[in-house]
Amino acid sequence: MAGDPVNINEFQELARQALPKMYYDYYTGGAEDEHTLRENVEAFQRITFQPRILVDVSNVDVSSSILGYNVSVPIMIAPTGMHKLAHPKGEMATARAAAACNTIMVLSFSSNCTIEEVASSCNAIRFYQLYAYQRRDVSAKLVQRAQQNGFKAIVLTADAPKSGRRERDIKNKMVVPKLKNLEGLLSVEVDSEGGSKFEAFTSRTRDPSLNWKDIGWLKSITTLPILIKGVLTAEDARMAVDVGAAGVIVSNHGARQLDYVPASISVLEEVVKAVDGRVPVLFDGGVRRGTDVFKALALGAQAVMIGRPVIYGLAAKGEHGARQVIEMLRNELELTMSLNGCRSIKDITRSYVRTEHERLRSSL
C-alpha cells in the first residue's frame, strides 16, 4: 500500500500483511458463521444523518468525560487480548498511545504485559477488565492488583461463561501465549487435542456459574466502580442498575461469543431507554469511522470503545500506529459534527440520526 493509510480499513490491510495468519485470524475472527461480525459493521451503514445547516461550527469541541474523568474525545480503547502478538511492546505501547491521546484504555485480563508494567508505562486513566474464574481468589487478586496500581474502574465481562466457537482459531490450532498476569496463579498448560489451545484454556478456567448475585461479591472486594460489559437487552440493563453497577457497556464481545445476536448498535437505544439516565451507557462493536462514533453518541452512548482498529494500528506501525488510529477517528468525528451542525458532544442528540426502522416505517 503506497503512502500512509487514510482510514481504518487501510490500517486493517497493513495489519493483514504484517501478521502471521494465525494471529491475524485471532484478532479479526468471530464466532461460527461470523454473521454478527459482519452485522456489527454493516448495521451502522443503515443509519443515516439528518444534519442541520447554517450553524456556526468554526469551533468544534470533541472533548468529553467518562465516569467523571476528562478525555479529549469520547473514544476509549476496548479490552483486547494479547497485544504482543501484534507488536513486541504489546499493551505498554497501546497504553502510551491512549495517554498521548488523553483517553482511557481498558486493560484486558489476557494482556501479555502485567498490570504493574502497564501502570508504570505512562501516566493515564486506565480501567481493568475482569473475567470470573472458577477460583475466585484469582479474580480477587487481579482486582486488588489493579486497584493498588491506580486503575480507576473494573469492567466485568459478563457474556462469556464459556468461550464462543471461533472456527478460525480451531483451524489454526491457536496457541496460548504467556499471560503474565496469571503467572503463579493459574497454569495455562492445556490439552486441546489439536484444536484451539486458547479456547481450551478459557473453558477450563472460567466460572460458568457467575450470576447477578455475584456482583455483590465483587463489590465487597473493591471500592472501584464496576461496569458490566455484554449488555444487549433492556432487561439486563435494568438488572445491572439494580445490582449497583456504575455503568453498562452495550457489547456482543466483538461478535466472538454467540453468533446471530444483534449488532450492538441495533440494541443501543433499547438499553439507553431502560437505563433512563441512572448510569452511563458505553458502547462497543463495529466502530470503524468517526461517523459511527457520532451515530452511537446520537443514540445515547456516553462514549464508544474500539478494539480491532487499535490492534490494526499497533500491528502496522506500533505505538505510533495505535495513536494514529485514535486521532484518525477523532478527526473524522470532528468533521462529522461540523457537517451535522454540532459544536460540542452535548449537542449530538437523537434528532440527528434516522434508523433503518424509522425509514421503513415512514415508507409505509
Side-chain angles (χ1 to χ4, degrees), residues 95-96 98-103 118-126 150 152:
R96 286 192 288 264
C101 295
N102 188 25
T103 192
V118 174
S120 63
S121 66
C122 57
N123 184 23
I125 302 299
R126 282 177 289 272
K152 301 303 184 183

Side-chain angles (χ1 to χ4, degrees), residues 280-318:
V281 176
L282 307 182
F283 174 84
D284 169 61
V287 172
R288 298 294 184 272
R289 285 280 188 184
T291 51
D292 298 337
V293 179
F294 186 101
K295 291 172 184 179
L297 297 178
L299 290 172
Q302 186 180 90
V304 306
M305 305 173 79
I306 55 172
R308 290 182 177 95
V310 172
I311 290 292
Y312 299 150
L314 188 66
K317 297 189 174 187

Side-chain angles (χ1 to χ4, degrees), residues 323-335:
R323 180 174 177 175
Q324 272 188 290
V325 162
I326 301 168
E327 292 173 342
M328 182 179 288
L329 290 174
R330 181 201 180 282
N331 293 338
E332 288 181 3
L333 173 62
E334 183 176 347
L335 178 60

